């Protein structure tokens, strides 16, 4: 196989298995990330790639190596502010009977998003309420990390307020471990967002952040169409700061309503009841819910 045939073969594999687009120009990235896997098998890169078609274990390793897992605690801050100021109060108002929330961290990476949500629910849900966070990703390596709930000092330094570190983490060797009472609320599942969503149930809220950017328009549309029935009628969807539903075909764009909450657009099903913003806390107020995390 030539270098270009090797790249094309990996690019096609990644697209087939994850729907992520690896365009020309990313050759350096593929080589840098796959060279250690090939070396571990004692093979030149070309021969290693040629074997991937028949080796499911190495294929998963390649997917793990090529997913972009960039994440941090309370990433972008404002979505979490909208969550505590508006979304949690609205859901608490509407779920008085079940006293339970179900939240989906879709494309959870190493779990900072899921555990950031868990910390806020721990503080802002009434005492007799409970919650489940379903954390899914296509990378099995990332899911193992979520399950372990352990983070290095460098990772902890990326957005985790000192007050939250003290409150929710224990030092284990050189790492920090998330408290068991948060870990037991996070269910981990392997899921390809571009494949059917079987047996997940419905959610009060979906966090689908910083993953749609890796897909082509068709895949993005397909995902956002299939997410609609996954959300309760009065539920909430949050996208990443550079992701939007405005560029969807008219019918699908209209199926998602965009409600501004502070500085973020919260997405809701078109038939969702209007949001009552009258009793929300100002994001800049010292009594703002995120203030207690120091975030
Ligand atoms: C940049 S991270 C985003 C993490 C987190 N949501 C955040 O905003 O910080 C993107 C994640 O999407 C996952 N991913 C990529 N393609 C996927 C797919 N087809 N299905 C599920 N997850 C996928 C990657 O493994 C990676 O962990």
């Amino acid at each position: 196989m030539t270098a270009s045939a090797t790249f094309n073969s990996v690019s096609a594999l990644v697209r087939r298995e994850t729907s992520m687009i690896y365009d020309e120009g990313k050759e350096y990235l593929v080589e840098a990330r796959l060279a250690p896997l090939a070396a571990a098998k004692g093979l030149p890169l070309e021969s290693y790639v040629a074997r991937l078609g028949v080796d499911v274990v190495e294929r998963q390793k390649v997917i793990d190596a090529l997913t972009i897992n960039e994440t941090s605690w309370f990433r972008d801050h404002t979505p979490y502010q909208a969550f505590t100021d508006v979304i949690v109060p609205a859901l608490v108002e509407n779920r008085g009977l079940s006293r339970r929330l179900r939240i989906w961290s879709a494309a959870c990476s190493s779990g900072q998003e899921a555990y950031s949500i868990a910390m806020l629910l721990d503080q802002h849900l009434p005492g007799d309420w409970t919650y489940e966070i379903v954390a899914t990703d296509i990378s099995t390596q990332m899911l193992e990390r979520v399950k372990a709930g352990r983070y290095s000092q460098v990772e902890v330094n990326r957005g985790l307020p000192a007050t939250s570190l003290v409150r929710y983490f224990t030092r284990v060797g050189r790492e920090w471990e998330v408290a068991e009472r948060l870990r037991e609320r996070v269910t981990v599942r392997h899921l390809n967002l571009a494949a059917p969503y079987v047996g997940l149930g419905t959610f009060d809220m979906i966090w689908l952040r910083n993953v749609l950017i890796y897909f082509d328009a068709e895949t993005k549309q397909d995902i956002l169409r299939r997410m609609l029935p996954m959300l309760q009628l009065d539920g909430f969807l949050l996208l990443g700061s550079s992701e939007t539903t405005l560029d969807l075909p008219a019918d699908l764009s209209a199926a998602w309503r965009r409600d501004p909450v502070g500085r973020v657009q919260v997405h809701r099903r078109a038939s969702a009841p209007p949001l009552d913003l009258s009793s929300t806390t100002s994001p800049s107020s010292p009594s703002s819910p995120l203030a207690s995390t120091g975030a």
Side-chain angles (χ1 to χ4, degrees):
M1 248 199 241
T2 63
S4 122
T6 299
F7 174 75
N8 290 340
S9 163
V10 172
S11 164
L13 171 108
V14 171
R15 186 154 193 174
R16 202 168 52 242
E17 302 264 335
T18 73
S19 294
M20 285 198 318
I21 311 286
Y22 258 82
D23 282 335
E24 272 173 39
K26 297 260 173 66
E27 287 85 350
Y28 69 98
L29 194 63
V30 167
E31 194 171 335
R33 295 199 173 185
L34 300 198
L37 297 178
K41 286 277 162 191
L43 291 171
L45 186 60
E46 290 74 14
S47 318
Y48 175 76
V49 169
R51 277 183 35 171
L52 290 175
V54 293
D55 192 333
V56 68
V57 173
E58 291 303 314
R59 238 176 13 243
Q60 181 61 49
K61 286 188 197 165
V62 166
I63 290 164
D64 284 340
L66 291 178
T67 50
I68 314 288
N69 307 119
E70 166 69 17
T71 191
S72 54
W73 304 95
F74 302 99
R75 185 172 184 176
D76 300 337
H77 192 92
T78 47
Y80 292 93
Q81 195 72 58
F83 182 60
T84 48
D85 285 352
V86 174
I87 296 171
V88 172
L91 289 172
V92 165
E93 176 102 19
N94 294 342
R95 298 286 181 275
L97 276 182
S98 66
R99 295 175 176 261
R100 181 166 190 264
L101 298 186
R102 284 195 89 225
I103 295 184
W104 182 8
S105 170
C108 60
S109 186
S110 36
Q112 284 85 335
E113 180 175 275
Y115 289 124
S116 297
I117 298 167
M119 286 182 245
L120 293 179
L121 289 176
D122 185 70
Q123 290 164 56
H124 297 290
L125 271 187
D128 54 347
W129 283 56
T130 181
Y131 66 92
E132 179 190 15
I133 298 170
V134 178
T136 66
D137 203 280
I138 201 160
S139 163
T140 49
Q141 224 170 49
M142 287 301 115
L143 295 175
E144 286 306 319
R145 296 226 37 216
V146 185
K147 261 189 234 164
R150 288 196 180 183
Y151 299 91
S152 69
Q153 185 66 51
V154 171
E155 288 172 320
V156 156
N157 289 347
R158 296 197 59 206
L160 185 69
T163 46
S164 303
L165 181 65
V166 171
R167 191 161 177 180
Y168 294 112
F169 289 77
T170 314
R171 184 124 211 177
V172 179
R174 295 164 73 90
E175 294 184 310
W176 293 93
E177 185 177 272
V178 182
E180 193 176 348
R181 78 169 190 279
L182 301 192
R183 273 186 289 132
E184 65 191 12
R185 299 264 156 245
V186 175
T187 309
V188 170
R189 273 195 53 178
H190 185 251
L191 182 96
N192 179 356
L193 284 170
Y197 309 147
V198 181
L200 278 177
T202 53
F203 295 92
D204 300 305
M205 182 171 187
I206 302 174
W207 295 64
L208 178 66
R209 305 195 68 232
N210 305 300
V211 64
L212 292 176
I213 41 171
Y214 300 112
F215 304 138
D216 63 15
E218 217 171 275
T219 307
K220 174 177 165 178
Q221 288 164 26
D222 175 53
I223 291 172
L224 284 167
R225 206 178 286 285
R226 290 183 300 116
M227 287 261 164
L228 279 162
M230 305 297 294
L231 201 57
Q232 296 280 4
L233 284 172
D234 60 350
F236 298 84
L237 167 77
L238 271 178
L239 302 180
S241 55
S242 62
E243 294 161 331
T244 177
T245 51
L246 285 169
D247 55 1
L248 301 175
D251 67 317
L252 186 54
S253 180
W256 286 108
R257 203 173 75 212
R258 289 160 288 276
D259 285 346
V261 175
R263 277 174 287 162
V264 289
Q265 294 282 341
V266 170
H267 291 79
R268 312 195 71 204
R269 292 174 67 163
S271 54
L275 271 177
D276 175 13
L277 298 174
S278 57
S279 60
T280 59
T281 320
S282 154
S284 53
S285 146
S287 63
S288 149
L290 266 194
S292 61
T293 67

